[in-house]
Structures are given as C-alpha cells and as structure tokens.
Amino acid sequence: MLSTKSPYAVYMPALSSNFAKIGYSQHLKHNFSFAEKDLNFLDPASALFHYPYALYSAGQAARTEGAAQQVSIVSQRDRDRTTVLGDSGGFQIQEGTIKFTGDATCERMLRWMEGHADFSMSLDFPTGGISPGNVAGHTARLDAQGNITARSAANGLSPDYNACLAQSLLNLDYFVQNRIPGKTNLLNVIQGRTERESKVWYDAVKGYPLEGWAFAGTHQSAFSMAIARLLDMYDDGLLQKAKWIHFLGISTLEPAYLFTTILRCLRRYNPKIGVSFDTSSPFKAAANFSLYTSFRFDKYGCAMKPASFTENASADDTRTLNELSRDLAEEIKIQRAGAPELRFTPVPVATAIGSKVIAAEICEMRDNRLRVTTDGVWILMNHNVEVFKKAFEALNHSFDENRLDDDVPVHVRATKVAIEKIFEERDSKGATAARDFLQNCRVLLDVFAEVRN
C-alpha cells in the first residue's frame, strides 16, 4: 500500500477480470510496438503509463475456488507502490453470477481479499437489487429462518430491504469472527435508497469494529445522505478513527470534485483518512468497442466523451488512436439568454498507447461488420483508463489552482460551499446546527440524484 495519502479523492478504475489476467492466463495474439506487460498500468515499470490505484472485485476474481487461485496483475503487484481496493462480490451474488452458499461464500471472498487487497468491503447485499426482483429469493429464505417479519414490523421498512440488511449483518459477523488481523483493512458498507433506509442501516452496522466505510447505492450521488452519515460517524466517534472512505460505482467529474471537498473537510478531524471512488466505465466502454476521446470541465458543464470505434474507423484506417480522437472532437455550442453564443472544442486526450497503435491494427471485418479484436479491446481499455487518469488529474489541479472555482458549473461550486459550511457549522455551533443547515441545503446537495423520503 502507498505510504502517503493523496491530497485529493482517489479514482479507482474497477478492473475487468480479463484485463487483470493479461500477461498471465490472457495474452496478446499479435505483436505491437510495446510489450504485453506494458498494458499493466499498476506496474511502475510500464513503458506506457503507471497508475497506482485500482479496485478489483472478489465477485470476479474469486467467483469459484479455482478462479480465486489464478494469478493476475493484482496478485503480482508491488504492494509497497500500489493501493488496491477489494470489492466483496455482493453485486455478483444478486446478479446470479455467483451462487451464495452462506459462510462458504463469505470464506472464499474474505480470504481472497485478505490475500490481494489493501482495503476490502464487507460482503453486503445491495438494496439496488430490490427493484429488479433479485432479492426476493433471499427474502423468502431468511423469512423462513424467522429473521425478516419481526424486523420489518419493528422498523416499518420492506421485507426485501430487511433481507438485504439481515444477510449483510450475518456476513459481517462472519468477517469479524474469522478475519486474520492485519491482512486487509475492512470497510463497512452502507446501503440504502432513502434517508430512512440509510439511517437504519448505519445504526445496525456501526458497532462492528472495522477500519473504514463504503457508501453504496444512492449515497454516491445524493450527498445529503452521505453527509448525514458522516455527521453520524463524527458524533459517534467513528469518523475520527476511520482509515478510508469509499464511494462505490461513480466516476464522473462533478461528484469527483465534491469527493475531494469531503476529503478536505474530513481531514480537519482525521488527518490520515483517505477518500476514493470507482467505476468500471473505461473497461465497459472498451468491451462495447468505444474509446474516450476528450474531456471538459468548465462553468457550463463537465463531461468525458466516448465515441464508437466501429462507427468511426475502418479496417484500413491508418490513423493512430490519438489522431482518431482528434478527428472526433466535436464543437460545443452554448447559448445563454442575453449573451452571444459560445463555441469551443474540447482538447482531445493523447495517451501513450494511443500514439503507438493505428486503428487498422485492432479491428477486422467479420460477417460484413467491423469488429474490434480481442487485442484491440484490451488496448482500448488501457487507453480509456489513461484518459480517466488525465481527466481527474486536471480536475485535481483545478481544485487547488483555480481559487474562484470558475472551472466548474455554478451548481457544483454551490454544493462545494454547502458541504464546507455544514462541517463549519458542526465545528462552531454543534450537531443540531449542522443538521439544520444540511436540511436547508438538501435540494442543492441532491442535485445529482433524486432521493425519496
């Protein structure tokens, strides 16, 4: 694990399992002007680029006992020069890609994370699986054991919600009782789709002696819920002891700016705490034959732009990926009442691998359709991760260098000020004043998400 803490919230690219095995059980089929090992951005010796952070899910890496033993860029990394966050596989369990068998599943996920990750999630059952019906089977199983009806009657929340909470508590019990101290830092995951669900969940899990917290579901974009729980942690004396806070499954530029705001506020009480966030977007986009071509953050908006490779390239295309990104840059037109139309074109992002690979090297015609080769997908993944890296680095630079905050939209600036003010109120006037101010700012804090009461 890196010995120094970042002054900014850290982006964690959520690795795909196939990309993680490049150089081990997965290999490039063709020769390129770089070595296969250079695709591994966790390696400080990569001739392309190095990025020392990643999230890797036990739900992918340890979906079976055999898979858990496989070698990857995570298992072989230099642990003194990288930080990896391990997700526990709750999402994959609800999606049905992993069969949940109680303690046996907990054991496999826990041991994999202890062997591979610096920080690891508790094995939660996400409330996001309720609406699609993925929780119903677990609700029936737990209700038959007598765990659900009484809990629902007591807290007034749905049986499916209480099933998610009940199984998460059972898994927490297993993790706490069977962990090997010092092998990994465990993060207590907080679920919930509403403020009420979030608060009930927090109160149920806060007594477990773990090393940090992870916010899942609506918390990632509904900042009123996340800030309310952080105030709870402060009041309960837990925030001051936490090592790490993670926001699951989001990596757009506007929330990232606010995650750094939260980090700076929390370091008043805990100078060593870290904050991070993740998404699999660079890998999912590449798997769908898309590459990110540019990003922008300014007073009018924030965005990272993907483009379809197969719709914009050809099998005999001699442009490099960087040249393709340049050609795909589109002019943005902004019209405001009473002001002249503003036009500008975001600067395309140039990546190391984008300068070394031409479009024709990574695509082929198949069934009269242009397809990206398997090698090409992995190359696009590396390219996309570097684009995200550069976008967040630029955003971080702006956070400290642009004191007027006019590099970001007004609503982001206003939310930043609101978050800072909430913690100032907690310091100067106490818990009640901070929560009153939070309620007054709720609409502003939740500008990125709709939250039900």
Side-chain angles (χ1 to χ4, degrees):
M1 183 169 61
L2 295 175
S3 59
T4 57
K5 292 289 191 297
S6 170
Y8 308 101
V10 172
Y11 168 58
M12 299 271 192
L15 294 168
S16 74
S17 58
N18 283 333
F19 186 87
K21 296 169 190 171
I22 290 176
Y24 300 98
S25 59
Q26 301 283 0
H27 297 280
L28 293 174
K29 296 179 175 61
H30 299 91
N31 293 323
F32 294 90
S33 61
F34 57 89
E36 180 180 81
K37 62 183 178 63
D38 292 327
L39 289 171
N40 177 10
F41 58 81
L42 289 176
D43 185 356
S46 170
L48 295 172
F49 78 98
H50 170 53
Y51 188 65
Y53 300 101
L55 178 144
Y56 196 26
S57 176
Q60 294 192 56
R63 64 187 183 280
T64 64
E65 288 289 353
Q69 306 306 315
Q70 292 182 348
V71 178
S72 69
I73 64 174
V74 172
S75 66
Q76 299 302 300
R77 67 189 171 98
D78 183 343
R79 296 192 68 153
D80 292 330
R81 301 177 70 179
T82 54
T83 296
V84 166
L85 186 64
D87 202 355
S88 58
F91 175 79
Q92 286 80 10
I93 289 170
Q94 285 201 356
E95 290 289 299
T97 56
I98 293 178
K99 183 179 180 181
F100 182 69
T101 56
D103 288 353
T105 305
C106 289
E107 172 72 10
R108 187 169 77 251
M109 301 302 167
L110 176 59
R111 297 305 167 219
W112 184 89
M113 291 189 294
E114 285 183 336
H116 294 82
D118 302 296
F119 295 92
S120 302
M121 313 287 179
S122 58
L123 182 48
D124 61 305
F125 266 42
T127 53
I130 294 174
S131 294
N134 296 338
V135 180
H138 298 290
T139 303
R141 169 177 58 83
L142 290 164
D143 199 33
Q145 299 171 7
N147 293 335
I148 300 304
T149 302
R151 189 186 292 272
S152 290
N155 61 28
L157 295 170
S158 72
D160 282 344
Y161 167 84
N162 280 287
C164 290
L165 177 56
Q167 189 62 64
S168 298
L169 291 170
L170 292 171
N171 297 345
L172 272 166
D173 289 337
Y174 187 91
F175 272 36
V176 170
Q177 294 165 14
N178 294 279
R179 69 182 300 189
I180 300 173
K183 290 289 286 183
T184 191
N185 296 287
L186 287 176
L187 306 184
N188 203 336
V189 180
I190 303 177
Q191 287 282 349
R193 300 163 296 172
T194 67
E195 167 60 26
R196 171 70 174 151
E197 288 186 354
S198 170
K199 176 62 172 172
V200 169
W201 194 290
Y202 169 76
D203 286 339
V205 304
K206 67 182 181 181
Y208 289 86
L210 305 186
E211 289 75 52
W213 300 86
F215 288 109
T218 308
H219 296 92
Q220 63 189 221
S221 53
F223 285 91
S224 67
M225 287 170 54
I227 299 298
R229 299 292 78 77
L230 291 170
L231 290 174
D232 287 339
M233 293 173 197
Y234 179 85
D235 294 342
D236 292 334
L238 300 175
L239 186 63
Q240 298 86 329
K241 298 183 291 185
K243 294 182 179 180
W244 204 267
I245 304 286
H246 184 75
F247 291 85
L248 278 155
I250 190 166
S251 67
T252 49
L253 291 164
E254 292 175 337
Y257 198 82
L258 300 176
F259 293 147
T260 290
T261 302
I262 291 172
L263 173 66
R264 299 292 177 88
C265 292
L266 299 187
R267 286 202 169 155
R268 300 175 189 170
Y269 321 115
N270 184 343
K272 295 183 179 180
I273 199 169
V275 170
S276 59
F277 55 98
D278 78 274
T279 190
S280 58
S281 295
F283 301 95
K284 287 183 176 179
N288 290 317
F289 305 160
S290 290
L291 75 162
Y292 280 85
T293 59
S294 64
F295 65 85
R296 58 175 280 239
F297 55 90
D298 50 67
K299 65 179 69 176
Y300 303 103
C302 301
M304 284 185 276
K305 181 174 176 55
S308 170
F309 181 94
T310 53
E311 291 178 6
N312 293 284
S314 63
D316 58 356
D317 196 329
T318 59
R319 291 176 294 177
T320 65
L321 298 184
N322 287 346
E323 290 169 341
L324 180 60
S325 296
R326 177 203 63 199
D327 292 345
L328 292 176
E330 295 180 354
E331 184 180 62
I332 294 172
K333 301 176 183 178
I334 297 171
Q335 181 66 60
R336 295 288 187 270
E341 183 178 68
L342 176 68
R343 299 183 177 213
F344 65 93
T345 302
V347 177
V349 172
T351 65
I353 205 166
S355 68
K356 297 178 180 295
V357 176
I358 65 172
E361 289 183 287
I362 63 170
C363 62
E364 61 187 4
M365 293 301 297
R366 189 186 306 169
D367 299 326
N368 294 319
R369 295 178 61 190
L370 187 69
R371 306 278 293 180
V372 176
T373 64
T374 300
D375 287 357
V377 169
W378 292 335
I379 287 168
L380 291 181
M381 287 178 176
N382 181 277
H383 167 87
N384 287 346
V385 171
E386 189 175 1
V387 172
F388 273 61
K389 169 184 177 288
K390 290 189 171 187
F392 290 119
E393 285 175 346
L395 189 74
N396 291 340
H397 179 77
S398 172
F399 192 95
D400 282 327
E401 296 300 323
N402 179 29
R403 298 297 184 183
L404 296 178
D405 297 324
D406 55 0
D407 276 357
V408 293
V410 171
H411 66 274
V412 179
R413 287 182 257 163
T415 307
K416 175 178 182 285
V417 172
I419 292 170
E420 292 169 338
K421 182 65 174 177
I422 289 168
F423 287 102
E424 289 171 5
E425 290 285 291
R426 182 63 185 85
D427 289 342
S428 62
K429 299 179 182 179
T432 300
R435 292 179 188 278
D436 287 346
F437 191 83
L438 185 153
Q439 288 304 314
N440 291 335
C441 296
R442 185 170 179 176
V443 173
L444 178 62
L445 293 168
D446 295 342
V447 70
F448 303 108
E450 293 185 7
V451 185
R452 293 169 289 164
N453 290 311

